[in-house]
Amino acid sequence: MGEILYFKNEEAREHAEKLLNNSWPEAAFVVMRIGSKSLFVEERIHFGKWDIDVENEKVFYKNEELEISETQWEILAFLMSGEGICFSEPEIAYALDLKESEIQICIADLLKKIETQTGSLIIRKVGERYLFEEVID
């Protein structure tokens, strides 16, 4: 369960985020804005040293962007949408309408890239399945 905070402007929100990050670095929060149909839209997800810019499909670790392909982003977004749920490669391939062999290569490359550049993983392999988890490091 979470709380919703409203800010007068973007500067006030950014100031609050900096205070939160300095005082409580392990905090996890989602930055949202009101979209074109007056509905809340996820703009960015923050947890620990990770930031995921949903709108621009980018992943940051310690404010450094990790270069990932469009397919890798689709896999990450799919795993994030089922937080706490493990998915097999055939399930991911079916959900994204891609070949299982393509998924296998993309996931392997994504895991290697994330671990090499950050030293931690936000996607964990559990047996033959994959799980997204917020790593607060």
Side-chain angles (χ1 to χ4, degrees), residues 5-18 31-33 43-44 53 55-56:
L5 300 173
Y6 295 97
F7 297 97
K8 291 180 181 178
N9 54 45
E10 190 172 329
E11 290 174 0
R13 185 189 77 197
E14 288 174 359
H15 181 68
E17 286 180 25
K18 286 179 185 174
V31 176
M32 303 189 82
R33 62 176 167 71
E43 184 177 312
R44 187 170 50 85
D53 184 340
E55 186 176 11
N56 297 313

Side-chain angles (χ1 to χ4, degrees), residues 42-45 52-58 73 80:
E42 278 187 3
E43 184 177 312
R44 187 170 50 85
I45 301 167
I52 298 176
D53 184 340
V54 179
E55 186 176 11
N56 297 313
E57 301 180 349
K58 295 183 179 186
W73 170 260
M80 284 173 33

Side-chain angles (χ1 to χ4, degrees), residues 13 32 34 79 83:
R13 185 189 77 197
M32 303 189 82
I34 296 179
L79 292 173
E83 188 178 346

Side-chain angles (χ1 to χ4, degrees), residues 73-98:
W73 170 260
E74 288 180 36
I75 293 167
L76 179 61
F78 175 73
L79 292 173
M80 284 173 33
S81 70
E83 188 178 346
I85 301 172
C86 292
F87 295 98
S88 66
E89 289 173 359
E91 291 170 331
I92 297 168
Y94 179 79
L96 300 178
D97 196 27
L98 296 168

Side-chain angles (χ1 to χ4, degrees), residues 43-79:
E43 184 177 312
R44 187 170 50 85
I45 301 167
H46 172 85
F47 53 96
K49 296 174 184 165
W50 293 90
D51 281 294
I52 298 176
D53 184 340
V54 179
E55 186 176 11
N56 297 313
E57 301 180 349
K58 295 183 179 186
V59 179
F60 298 88
Y61 182 77
K62 293 184 181 175
N63 296 322
E64 298 265 339
E65 183 179 354
L66 301 176
E67 296 291 329
I68 62 174
S69 71
E70 194 173 309
T71 304
Q72 290 171 335
W73 170 260
E74 288 180 36
I75 293 167
L76 179 61
F78 175 73
L79 292 173

